[in-house]
Structures are given as structure tokens and as C-alpha cells.
Amino acid sequence: MSLLAQAMGKLEEKKVLELVSHSLAVGQAPLAIVEECRRGLNIVGELYANGEYFLSDLVMSAEIFREALKLIEPFLKAPLADMQEPAKADIVFGTVEGDIHDIGKNITISLLRCEGFRVYDAGVDIPPDVFLAILQKTGARVLGLSALLTSSFEAMRRTVHLMHLVESTAPVKVLIGGLVNERVCQYVGADAWVREAGEGVAICRRWLREDGRKKIAGSE
């Protein structure tokens, strides 16, 4: 594990920012630095799940990550975040009803936007009907649902169920993330689950590439 990930896991803000600045100065790839920060956030999440960290620690880790992103963003080809959500989107991503954690969501959205995807950030504590309305408004083909609380799994399930009830002939793929596993994926009816942001980006890239090929084939 890198010194940066360890520092992030220990919530050592000054050290994190110094290591980020040094990594950028020696030419390390910006997205690799983001990934190390994410690994550190995973440590924070695990300590929180084990009862060793508290909600205030999660909030602090999110703030440290935001400060690190401010240093990293000028070195990226694309901005990490857009102030205005797109009218049309490839992906809708949000934290489900009953959960306000947004660290994993924000990291994944940042990485997706760096890859050039149009991502609509739905926010946190989002009810199923709001997710559905955003999907219909944006025409997104992928829905990302995040949850760090086990009590939020039912909200994930209700969201997916409602989407399937009213979805059009072009089905939406559902990716879940957070403290999830295969069992949770099957329970909520999602298409895939991830614990790491990079893996989520790879899955979304593959799904949207496949969706694009289907559209081209259908027009021929």
C-alpha cells in the first residue's frame, strides 16, 4: 500500500496534500494519484464499518479528498466535475434513499467524467421515483446506485423494481456500489456490483460501448 493511501486512511490531511503535490511534481499520472486516494478512502470506509471511525471521520476524509482533487484537477485533460448537470446523460449516479454517504459516488463520477462520459449526479438520499424521473429526462442507459448502509439495500431494491416496471424497450443497466456483494446484487436485481471506482468505470465503459454497437446495428 502506498504512503498516500496510508495517509488518507489515517486522515492526515497535511501529509496527503504534500504527497499529492510531490507525485504531481515527479510526473505521476493524475488518475493514478486519484486511485491511491481512493484506496485510502476504502481504508476509512472499512474502519467506519468496523466501528473504529465515526461519521465525522467520513466527513473529514471527504474534505481531504476534495482538497486533493483541487491539486490534481489542473493536470487532467478533462475537469473532474461540472457545476451544471447535463440535460442528456449516458449515466445517472446517486446515493439511494436513506443514505447520505457520497464519497464513493463522487470518486466514481469524477473518473467517469474524466473518461468523457456525460454523468448526471443525482445527489444523496434519492427516492426511487426521483431516480426514475431523472432517467426519463436524461435518457441515460446506465444507472449507478451507491449505498454504504445495509439498511439502504431495500431502497436499492425498490428503485430497481420501479425502473423495471416502467422502462422502455431500451433497458437500463444497473450498477451498484458501496458495501455490497454478489448476494446484495441479486437481492436488489442489479446487473453488476463493485467495491472499487476503477472497476465501475470499466463496467460502464463496456456497457455503453455495447449499447452503441446495438444502436448502430439497429439503424442499418
Side-chain angles (χ1 to χ4, degrees), residues 7 21 44 90 149 151 170 207 213:
S21 296
V44 176
D90 305 303
L149 302 175
S151 57
W207 283 349
R213 285 199 293 263

Side-chain angles (χ1 to χ4, degrees), residues 120-133:
Y120 190 105
D121 185 351
V124 301
D125 193 19
I126 305 301
D129 60 320
V130 175
F131 272 120
L132 180 62

Side-chain angles (χ1 to χ4, degrees), residues 87-195:
K88 295 295 181 182
D90 305 303
I91 304 163
V92 170
F93 214 115
T95 303
V96 298
E97 187 174 25
D99 199 325
I100 61 170
H101 299 104
D102 65 355
I103 298 174
K105 171 183 73 67
N106 291 346
I107 295 173
T108 305
I109 289 174
S110 294
L111 293 178
L112 286 166
R113 285 174 172 168
C114 284
E115 294 247 346
F117 294 114
R118 298 172 300 171
V119 187
Y120 190 105
D121 185 351
V124 301
D125 193 19
I126 305 301
D129 60 320
V130 175
F131 272 120
L132 180 62
I134 296 173
L135 283 172
Q136 293 175 331
K137 179 177 74 172
T138 61
R141 299 268 50 87
V142 175
L143 173 62
L145 301 176
S146 177
L148 198 61
L149 302 175
T150 56
S151 57
S152 301
F153 295 160
E154 187 60 37
M156 275 188 171
R157 187 181 190 187
R158 287 189 286 108
T159 300
V160 175
H161 178 68
L162 178 62
M163 187 194 73
H164 286 326
L165 282 177
V166 299
E167 70 181 1
S168 64
T169 54
V172 174
K173 290 280 193 178
V174 179
L175 174 69
I176 62 172
L179 294 181
V180 297
N181 53 34
E182 180 61 30
R183 184 176 180 181
V184 175
C185 185
Q186 293 182 8
Y187 176 74
V188 305
D191 296 287
W193 65 277
V194 295
R195 287 267 183 107

Side-chain angles (χ1 to χ4, degrees), residues 28-50:
Q28 186 172 350
L31 289 183
I33 301 172
V34 172
E35 179 65 12
E36 288 308 312
C37 290
R38 183 202 60 76
R39 292 180 187 277
L41 290 174
N42 273 357
I43 298 173
V44 176
E46 290 171 1
L47 291 171
Y48 174 78
N50 293 334

Side-chain angles (χ1 to χ4, degrees), residues 7-17 37 40-41 44-45 48 53-68 101-103:
M8 179 68 78
K10 294 178 181 178
L11 304 176
E12 298 174 335
E13 180 176 8
K14 183 179 179 181
K15 188 172 183 179
V16 166
L17 299 182
C37 290
L41 290 174
V44 176
Y48 174 78
Y53 274 0
F54 303 96
L55 182 57
S56 59
D57 297 308
L58 284 178
V59 173
M60 184 176 179
S61 68
E63 288 302 318
I64 295 174
F65 180 68
R66 290 189 184 98
E67 290 302 312
H101 299 104
D102 65 355
I103 298 174

